[in-house]
Amino acid sequence: MALWLCCAWIFILLLPGPSDGGKLLVVPMVGSHWLSMQQVVEKLSEKGHEVVVLMPEVSWQMKVAQAYTVKTYPVTQTLEELDAAFLKYVATHLQDRPFPLNVLAQYNISVEVFSTFFVQCKDLFSSKETLQYLNQSGFDAILTDPVFLCGAILANYFSLPYVFFMRGFPCNLHYEAPQSPSPLSYIPRLFTFNSDHMTFFQRVENALVSLLELEYCNGFYADAIKLSSEVLQRDVSLLDLLNSASVWLLRYDFVFEYVRPVMPNMVFIGGINCAQKKPLPKEFEAIVNASGEHGIVVFSLGSMVSEIPMKKATEIADALGSVPQTVLWRYTGEVPPNLPKNVKLVKWLPQNDLLAHPKARAFITHGGSHGVYEGICNAVPMVLMPLFGDQMDNAKRIESRGAGLMLNVLEMTSEDISTALKAVINDKRYKENIKRLSDLHLDRPIHPLDLAVHWVEFVMRHKGAPHLRPAAHDLNWIQYHSLDVIAFLLAVVLLSLFISLKCCLFCCRRCCCKKGRTRKPTKAKSH
Amino acid sequence: MALWLCCAWIFILLLPGPSDGGKLLVVPMVGSHWLSMQQVVEKLSEKGHEVVVLMPEVSWQMKVAQAYTVKTYPVTQTLEELDAAFLKYVATHLQDRPFPLNVLAQYNISVEVFSTFFVQCKDLFSSKETLQYLNQSGFDAILTDPVFLCGAILANYFSLPYVFFMRGFPCNLHYEAPQSPSPLSYIPRLFTFNSDHMTFFQRVENALVSLLELEYCNGFYADAIKLSSEVLQRDVSLLDLLNSASVWLLRYDFVFEYVRPVMPNMVFIGGINCAQKKPLPKEFEAIVNASGEHGIVVFSLGSMVSEIPMKKATEIADALGSVPQTVLWRYTGEVPPNLPKNVKLVKWLPQNDLLAHPKARAFITHGGSHGVYEGICNAVPMVLMPLFGDQMDNAKRIESRGAGLMLNVLEMTSEDISTALKAVINDKRYKENIKRLSDLHLDRPIHPLDLAVHWVEFVMRHKGAPHLRPAAHDLNWIQYHSLDVIAFLLAVVLLSLFISLKCCLFCCRRCCCKKGRTRKPTKAKSH
């Protein structure tokens, strides 16, 4: 009997914990960003919450699982239009142009691609049926990746508490909106590719970039600001849309990111995407086993980019032939004519599971945040070929920690690639450094997936997290920086000085006058 | 067989997790601060670490458990001397003096009591045997409550990584040392008793207090700075001693504390002291059960203060008689002659367990951080009678959240106490507010005790946490605030303006000259 009780107890222990059974609306970002958010959504569903994922009828990689409800809304664009916009975006980043033409071209194409995708958000707000459904559903909270802002506009529209889940905004908005100070002297702005130890001129550059940032983002998000002002029927700024987020789930940690001030409603869940580990599919298991003592190199430019220009592909193929490792390359483009025997082209690869294999020797990656964390979790040194977005900064962070080498995709030669790859495989320091980062990263009191799930549930249970809202939100710019206090104190000091001076002068004059007066009669007497 | 395996598995599950078995030196602060640190120390010992607690031969409340080793060092003071110094300290806070005499008297007595206790640290550094023992012990890290700085000096002396465990320093040092920005506009300085929503003149006061703070602490810690400069054989500032702490375990959370910027190496463990819950001893169980539907009021002015002047005690006794609840009052002084029947005087009480009882209706407390968290954990509304240290600010925080009422110990009358007590018992809003705070506080992904233990183990395993050290430590004041960058950019702007102006003037002059020249000949011709 006692033993049966034992087993019953184990069963109870293994059951998901007690749950309030809340109702959550999820507004994801299409594409690779969904990959880690999906794990949170699945876990929340498992825990008994009713989760509705809002998706455009046309989108990428939005694999649907049975665990949660999917609500789609009609959109006006076709998948081909989205594909074309994204391909043009990538192609622009692969074109070599002199400065500042490259920056301008990249800015323009970013605005263009954002506008293209934002049409889906406009479509959402045009769909009365969808809005009515959402309004009647009685959600407790919204979980959203806010890079395209649609979830944030929706949360403000329905006055629901919301949780952000993201890597970061382009213009420091993920620090500015929650009122987290960002001293320019040691916190490099995104896209400067500086580290936290900057020279004087890098600090000057950092300051100039920060001046440009808000203007840059206002241009970037002009469509979103216009739409939100329309639907919310008031003048809305970017910060207005974002600063009421209850909790920010940020997909990084300080093993990777430079240490900086943060706010109590920021929760760091870097490495959340390493949670799911599965055994390798048979075909991959066979390739890995056949690689012998040299092991394997995993090569992927991310789930969004699987083709590159033939010239680059040929150079890369050439370099890959120079190492004895078997290279698993995720590539769907035309096969390069010089493809060496040790390179296996695949249309898809189980990246995290391959990197987790003890035979993984190096990881060639574009430096997307998911890939970088899979490299860190599994302690595999990296060769980084950043293409766009935050990839350049991610690559810089890994390189600055001695855990990988970064290549310039536009300028790299076959020899550069070969040299970098050989270095990270054969120079023990790269392995040691990534192992150290990995040990630090994995030594945490709670898994990032459980942490993310906890905080979403927290916001659902308590209808937000108002106790984590800093009073700074109630101050204007002058008050926040105490400029009025400084002006007042200066005025008091100056006034005191002025009065003291006047008093002194007055006293002096009195003395002089007295002397004068006492002298005068003397003079008169002497006459 | 399967069932036996089940039970074996349960046994394995219940065993403490795997441990590296590190060696930790603990340098506690004597008195009530030790109460919560002791729980961490016991848990670390349970987990298989070798823990040595360094204690002066003479001290208060340093109950010794078998779980850890205690190493004592000889001191020159007697317990009576320490008691006398502390009694004088409390008495000074209970004397009514006009401003600014009260502030000056409190400052002077604080410096005096600090100097008295700091003699123990000097004794430690005089004990060659103790230093030799510590040097030869091969500790991995030091865990210390740094208010008296002795642990910090020791850590710097032995170049060991160190973890701080505390409520906070008097002069914002616990934010300044780890480089956490503290905007003066919404972060009230300790001892101003302001909330995070300040009027203009409160913000002016806050700015002035912040200007005084460093000077204040340099005076306060003059003895410690002198000793550390001697033992470390270099000029040492207060910040030098503190800024290399690997992790700051801070005994509060943002249910209680005002929301503000923090750093990644700050870990918030408010409520850690609520961890241990035991059934009530029989005598207390009997009193509580006999209290009937009205329930009980728990009254303690902390473990350090158990006597108060008879006049105050009489007033308090009078007020306690005005409520139908049974009052359990921790009090060791002379029994007030008017002690009502519903008041039970006790020399000690199981505070957390009494507050956890469903019959607890109110908590009369001095507002020490341990007590306040026990009130929050158990959702018991409070009447706060702050005496010294951070108690005034703690009380203000609870009052500003509508979870209690604060009384001025020096001015309160019997009627004030009675009114406040009746209000927190009978006005449902106090109970609702403390219940809301309690729900928020207890809804956490991991218990603060486990969090504290994890981070101490982390520092032991990795010999510190250098990846959590902000680059700000490598900048001087001018660089940190980007004053050099601002000066440079201003110079560039001014130089550009000057050159542009000069160019314009030059061009204008050229134009004028040309006109002048072309005119002259005309003039000449016209003549």
Side-chain angles (χ1 to χ4, degrees):
Chain A
M1 181 65 187
L3 291 176
W4 277 113
L5 275 174
C6 267
C7 283
W9 192 51
I10 290 176
F11 184 61
I12 290 162
L13 275 178
L14 293 177
L15 275 177
S19 162
D20 299 342
K23 197 164 180 184
L24 182 73
L25 175 64
V26 178
V27 187
M29 184 181 154
V30 294
S32 64
H33 285 222
W34 169 242
L35 297 177
S36 50
M37 191 189 240
Q38 193 182 13
Q39 296 184 23
V40 180
V41 168
E42 282 173 4
K43 189 133 189 184
L44 282 163
S45 303
E46 267 173 35
K47 291 191 84 180
H49 300 290
E50 197 182 330
V51 183
V52 176
V53 180
L54 190 66
M55 285 187 192
E57 270 173 5
V58 169
S59 67
W60 298 317
Q61 292 186 5
M62 302 299 285
K63 255 193 327 188
V64 176
Q66 284 188 324
Y68 47 80
T69 312
V70 171
K71 171 75 190 168
T72 55
Y73 57 91
V75 285
T76 46
Q77 289 158 316
T78 61
L79 193 59
E80 288 68 35
E81 283 172 286
L82 299 183
D83 281 342
F86 189 71
L87 280 177
K88 194 172 161 196
Y89 176 72
V90 176
T92 307
H93 284 81
L94 286 173
Q95 274 162 20
D96 205 357
R97 287 189 187 86
F99 179 86
L101 290 183
N102 54 351
V103 176
L104 275 174
Q106 287 169 16
Y107 174 72
N108 288 332
I109 193 68
S110 300
V111 172
E112 196 180 313
V113 82
F114 179 80
S115 293
T116 309
F117 281 91
F118 196 72
V119 170
Q120 294 193 327
C121 191
K122 290 181 186 164
D123 292 336
L124 169 62
F125 278 95
S126 306
S127 166
K128 282 189 183 160
E129 181 267 325
T130 313
L131 292 180
Q132 201 176 2
Y133 161 82
L134 296 176
N135 195 26
Q136 288 169 349
S137 297
F139 293 108
D140 294 308
I142 291 185
L143 171 66
T144 182
D145 184 323
V147 167
F148 279 178
L149 291 185
C150 203
I153 302 175
L154 211 61
N156 280 282
Y157 182 73
F158 288 121
S159 300
L160 282 172
Y162 51 109
V163 177
F164 285 156
F165 180 102
M166 70 185 321
R167 159 71 178 94
F169 277 108
C171 359
N172 213 41
L173 281 171
H174 51 302
Y175 292 112
E176 235 171 275
Q179 300 276 359
S180 183
S182 304
L184 284 167
S185 46
Y186 73 99
I187 300 173
R189 296 298 168 124
L190 223 62
F191 302 145
T192 59
F193 323 137
N194 290 330
S195 85
D196 56 350
H197 285 87
M198 290 179 265
T199 62
F200 175 74
F201 283 106
Q202 283 176 330
R203 290 194 291 118
V204 171
E205 181 197 13
N206 213 37
L208 292 175
V209 168
S210 87
L211 286 175
L212 288 174
E213 261 178 354
L214 207 61
E215 205 35 56
Y216 164 83
C217 260
N218 276 332
F220 198 72
Y221 285 123
D223 271 6
I225 296 171
K226 195 167 158 250
L227 178 72
S228 50
S229 295
E230 275 169 28
V231 299
L232 301 175
Q233 296 181 326
R234 58 182 164 89
D235 272 347
V236 173
S237 76
L238 255 182
L239 290 177
D240 288 340
L241 277 181
L242 305 174
N243 63 17
S244 297
S246 300
V247 169
W248 295 70
L249 299 172
L250 294 164
R251 281 197 290 104
Y252 55 83
D253 69 6
F254 294 96
V255 165
F256 168 73
E257 193 55 65
Y258 300 123
V259 180
R260 50 156 298 139
V262 298
M263 294 302 279
N265 66 341
M266 292 178 165
V267 177
F268 301 94
I269 51 163
I272 190 169
N273 50 310
C274 302
Q276 286 185 339
K277 281 195 180 161
K278 280 171 269 170
L280 282 179
K282 275 184 190 165
E283 62 274 28
F284 287 98
E285 183 74 47
I287 297 173
V288 174
N289 286 340
S291 69
E293 54 161 342
H294 291 299
I296 57 160
V297 170
V298 183
F299 181 10
S300 167
L301 296 180
S303 57
M304 306 289 286
V305 179
S306 45
E307 287 181 45
I308 42 172
M310 180 49 81
K311 192 171 162 261
K312 285 276 158 225
T314 316
E315 275 173 2
I316 289 172
D318 197 29
L320 298 180
S322 72
V323 294
Q325 282 74 22
T326 303
V327 182
L328 280 152
W329 183 5
R330 178 181 178 273
Y331 183 75
T332 59
E334 202 184 323
V335 178
N338 59 337
L339 194 76
K341 277 187 180 167
N342 65 326
V343 180
K344 314 282 175 201
L345 294 188
V346 287
K347 291 205 169 143
W348 170 88
L349 49 79
Q351 188 169 283
N352 191 39
D353 301 319
L354 280 172
L355 291 171
H357 198 285
K359 288 206 179 210
R361 297 284 179 272
F363 179 28
I364 309 176
T365 169
H366 62 311
S369 57
H370 284 121
V372 162
Y373 270 99
E374 287 173 5
I376 293 175
C377 291
N378 299 301
V380 182
M382 292 170 246
V383 172
L384 302 126
M385 299 178 179
L387 300 170
F388 53 80
D390 60 343
Q391 296 163 9
M392 230 79 86
D393 287 281
N394 296 342
K396 184 78 199 171
R397 277 155 177 70
I398 292 298
E399 192 178 59
S400 76
R401 279 153 173 80
L405 284 171
M406 183 168 100
L407 294 171
N408 182 326
V409 177
L410 299 178
E411 293 168 7
M412 66 186 184
T413 62
S414 175
E415 205 184 322
D416 293 336
I417 306 168
S418 171
T419 311
L421 189 56
K422 283 178 186 165
V424 301
I425 294 172
N426 302 321
D427 187 338
K428 279 184 183 173
R429 282 174 301 176
Y430 292 99
K431 180 69 187 177
E432 283 164 12
N433 286 331
I434 192 81
K435 182 77 178 65
R436 188 176 45 80
L437 292 186
S438 186
D439 287 346
L440 293 171
H441 169 70
L442 295 174
D443 192 352
R444 53 202 171 195
I446 178 169
H447 194 282
L449 181 57
D450 297 320
L451 202 59
V453 167
H454 169 83
W455 281 105
V456 176
E457 286 186 306
F458 186 101
V459 170
M460 288 163 77
R461 274 194 287 267
H462 304 283
K463 311 282 176 218
H467 70 297
L468 295 182
R469 185 179 184 275
H473 285 304
D474 305 322
L475 299 172
N476 61 37
W477 190 81
I478 290 176
Q479 291 169 328
Y480 177 85
H481 293 283
S482 295
L483 298 183
D484 50 351
V485 171
I486 294 170
F488 173 79
L489 291 176
L490 263 180
V492 169
V493 169
L494 290 177
L495 199 68
S496 313
L497 281 177
F498 179 74
I499 292 172
S500 313
L501 201 72
K502 278 281 174 193
C503 287
C504 286
L505 283 175
F506 179 74
C507 293
C508 287
R509 253 183 240 150
R510 285 283 292 242
C511 286
C512 293
C513 282
K514 262 191 185 172
K515 274 186 193 167
R517 261 183 229 156
T518 38
R519 244 176 248 152
K520 257 184 187 173
T522 331
K523 236 183 174 179
K525 269 182 189 176
S526 70
H527 274 277
Chain B
M1 181 64 188
L3 292 176
W4 277 112
L5 273 174
C6 267
C7 283
W9 193 51
I10 290 177
F11 185 63
I12 289 162
L13 277 177
L14 293 177
L15 275 178
S19 160
D20 299 343
K23 196 163 182 186
L24 181 74
L25 175 63
V26 178
V27 187
M29 185 181 155
V30 294
S32 65
H33 284 222
W34 169 242
L35 297 177
S36 50
M37 192 188 239
Q38 192 182 11
Q39 296 185 22
V40 180
V41 169
E42 281 172 5
K43 190 134 187 182
L44 282 163
S45 303
E46 270 173 35
K47 290 190 86 179
H49 300 290
E50 196 182 332
V51 183
V52 176
V53 181
L54 190 66
M55 285 189 193
E57 270 174 5
V58 168
S59 65
W60 299 315
Q61 293 186 5
M62 302 298 287
K63 257 194 322 189
V64 175
Q66 285 189 323
Y68 46 82
T69 312
V70 171
K71 171 73 189 167
T72 56
Y73 57 91
V75 285
T76 46
Q77 289 158 317
T78 63
L79 194 58
E80 288 69 36
E81 284 173 286
L82 298 183
D83 281 342
F86 189 70
L87 280 177
K88 195 173 162 196
Y89 176 71
V90 175
T92 308
H93 284 81
L94 287 174
Q95 275 162 19
D96 205 357
R97 285 189 188 86
F99 178 86
L101 291 183
N102 54 352
V103 176
L104 275 174
Q106 288 169 15
Y107 174 71
N108 288 332
I109 193 67
S110 300
V111 172
E112 197 180 313
V113 83
F114 178 81
S115 292
T116 309
F117 282 91
F118 195 72
V119 170
Q120 295 194 327
C121 192
K122 290 180 187 165
D123 291 336
L124 169 62
F125 279 94
S126 305
S127 166
K128 282 190 183 161
E129 181 267 325
T130 313
L131 292 181
Q132 201 176 1
Y133 161 81
L134 295 176
N135 195 25
Q136 288 169 351
S137 296
F139 292 109
D140 295 310
I142 292 187
L143 170 68
T144 181
D145 183 323
V147 167
F148 280 177
L149 291 184
C150 203
I153 302 174
L154 211 60
N156 280 282
Y157 182 71
F158 288 121
S159 301
L160 281 172
Y162 50 109
V163 177
F164 284 157
F165 180 101
M166 71 182 324
R167 158 72 177 94
F169 276 109
C171 357
N172 213 42
L173 281 171
H174 51 303
Y175 292 112
E176 234 169 277
Q179 299 277 358
S180 181
S182 304
L184 285 167
S185 46
Y186 72 100
I187 300 172
R189 295 297 166 126
L190 222 61
F191 303 144
T192 59
F193 322 137
N194 290 329
S195 85
D196 57 348
H197 284 88
M198 290 179 264
T199 62
F200 175 73
F201 283 105
Q202 283 175 330
R203 289 194 289 118
V204 171
E205 182 198 14
N206 213 38
L208 292 175
V209 168
S210 86
L211 287 175
L212 289 174
E213 261 177 357
L214 207 59
E215 205 36 55
Y216 164 82
C217 261
N218 277 333
F220 198 73
Y221 286 121
D223 271 5
I225 296 171
K226 195 167 157 251
L227 178 73
S228 50
S229 296
E230 275 167 29
V231 300
L232 300 176
Q233 296 180 327
R234 56 182 164 91
D235 272 348
V236 173
S237 75
L238 257 181
L239 291 178
D240 287 341
L241 276 182
L242 304 174
N243 63 18
S244 298
S246 300
V247 169
W248 295 70
L249 298 172
L250 294 164
R251 280 196 292 104
Y252 56 82
D253 68 6
F254 293 96
V255 166
F256 169 73
E257 193 54 67
Y258 300 124
V259 180
R260 51 155 298 140
V262 298
M263 295 302 282
N265 66 342
M266 293 177 164
V267 178
F268 300 94
I269 52 163
I272 189 170
N273 50 310
C274 302
Q276 286 185 340
K277 281 196 178 160
K278 280 171 269 171
L280 283 178
K282 275 185 189 165
E283 62 275 25
F284 286 100
E285 183 74 46
I287 298 173
V288 174
N289 287 340
S291 69
E293 55 163 342
H294 291 299
I296 58 159
V297 170
V298 182
F299 181 8
S300 168
L301 295 180
S303 58
M304 305 289 287
V305 179
S306 46
E307 287 180 44
I308 44 173
M310 180 50 80
K311 193 172 160 257
K312 286 278 158 223
T314 317
E315 274 174 1
I316 289 172
D318 198 31
L320 298 179
S322 72
V323 295
Q325 281 75 22
T326 303
V327 182
L328 281 152
W329 183 5
R330 178 181 179 272
Y331 184 74
T332 60
E334 203 184 325
V335 179
N338 60 336
L339 194 76
K341 278 189 182 166
N342 65 326
V343 180
K344 315 281 176 205
L345 294 187
V346 286
K347 289 203 173 146
W348 169 88
L349 50 77
Q351 186 169 285
N352 191 39
D353 301 319
L354 280 172
L355 291 171
H357 198 283
K359 287 204 179 209
R361 297 285 179 269
F363 179 28
I364 309 176
T365 169
H366 62 310
S369 57
H370 284 121
V372 162
Y373 271 100
E374 288 173 4
I376 294 175
C377 291
N378 299 301
V380 182
M382 291 170 246
V383 173
L384 302 126
M385 298 178 180
L387 299 170
F388 53 81
D390 60 342
Q391 296 165 10
M392 230 78 87
D393 287 280
N394 296 342
K396 183 77 199 172
R397 277 155 179 70
I398 292 298
E399 192 178 60
S400 76
R401 279 151 173 82
L405 284 170
M406 183 169 99
L407 294 171
N408 182 325
V409 178
L410 300 178
E411 293 169 7
M412 66 185 184
T413 63
S414 175
E415 204 185 320
D416 294 337
I417 305 169
S418 170
T419 312
L421 189 56
K422 283 178 185 164
V424 300
I425 294 173
N426 301 321
D427 187 340
K428 280 185 183 172
R429 281 173 302 176
Y430 292 99
K431 180 70 188 175
E432 281 164 12
N433 286 332
I434 192 79
K435 181 78 178 66
R436 186 176 47 80
L437 291 187
S438 186
D439 288 346
L440 292 171
H441 170 68
L442 296 173
D443 193 352
R444 52 202 171 196
I446 178 168
H447 194 283
L449 181 57
D450 297 320
L451 201 58
V453 167
H454 168 82
W455 282 105
V456 176
E457 287 186 305
F458 186 99
V459 170
M460 288 163 76
R461 273 193 287 267
H462 303 284
K463 310 283 174 218
H467 69 298
L468 295 181
R469 186 180 184 274
H473 285 304
D474 305 323
L475 299 172
N476 62 36
W477 191 81
I478 290 176
Q479 290 169 328
Y480 177 85
H481 292 284
S482 296
L483 299 183
D484 51 351
V485 170
I486 293 169
F488 173 78
L489 290 177
L490 263 180
V492 169
V493 169
L494 290 178
L495 198 69
S496 312
L497 280 177
F498 178 75
I499 291 172
S500 312
L501 201 73
K502 278 282 173 191
C503 287
C504 284
L505 282 175
F506 179 73
C507 292
C508 285
R509 255 184 236 147
R510 286 284 292 241
C511 285
C512 292
C513 281
K514 263 192 183 169
K515 272 183 191 168
R517 262 185 228 152
T518 37
R519 243 176 249 153
K520 259 186 185 170
T522 331
K523 235 182 175 182
K525 270 184 185 174
S526 70
H527 274 275

